[in-house]
Amino acid sequence: MPLRQRVLLLVVLVICSTLPGCLSLGIENVRYDGSALSIRASNSGEARDAAIQVTVFQMRDLAQEEVATETRTIWLASGEQEYTVPLALPPGSYKLYIYLIVDNDRKASVIRDITV
């Protein structure tokens, strides 16, 4: 990559890291304890209002059927935090679609498989 492009990329990254709208969000570990999901999320930006949405599909006979959708409003703190979403699932195999939403915009998402 030519020097000019490297410098331009560096300038854009520096500017983006200082603006409130530029943040890095991530969904890390997801655990299920039999009555709730614990979702670890990271936020490199300012603390703000957000939401976590979980859509649960049960996997059965090579097909998936939606069994639940839960959305929780959260205070997305800076750094890593753990958030709880109450959810009761009977024994089986599930696919979890987890979304982190800020300002009505999906900022991070993961798909996790769990067996209960």
Side-chain angles (χ1 to χ4, degrees):
M1 178 184 291
L3 179 61
R4 183 177 176 168
Q5 287 179 341
R6 283 189 222 163
V7 170
L8 182 59
L9 179 61
L10 181 61
V11 169
V12 169
L13 289 174
V14 168
I15 290 171
C16 187
S17 67
T18 61
L19 295 175
C22 292
L23 63 148
S24 173
L25 298 174
I27 299 171
E28 311 299 328
N29 297 335
V30 178
R31 292 181 292 110
Y32 182 67
D33 68 5
S35 63
L37 285 172
S38 295
I39 301 168
R40 194 154 200 60
S42 61
N43 173 16
S44 68
E46 297 177 12
R48 59 192 332 173
D49 287 322
I52 292 179
Q53 179 180 330
V54 179
T55 304
V56 182
F57 289 88
Q58 186 169 27
M59 308 304 292
R60 195 177 354 180
D61 300 326
L62 300 176
Q64 62 182 19
E65 177 185 345
E66 184 176 338
V67 294
T69 298
E70 292 290 331
T71 304
R72 293 284 181 248
T73 302
I74 61 169
W75 178 250
L76 184 61
S78 292
E80 277 195 26
Q81 300 293 323
E82 191 163 277
Y83 303 95
T84 302
V85 177
L87 191 64
L89 298 172
S93 295
Y94 298 92
K95 190 169 289 285
L96 308 174
Y97 293 80
I98 304 168
Y99 306 103
L100 190 54
I101 302 165
V102 177
D103 297 329
N104 293 321
D105 203 15
R106 184 174 70 191
K107 298 294 185 182
S109 62
V110 296
I111 301 172
R112 296 284 192 260
D113 294 319
I114 64 169
T115 301
V116 176

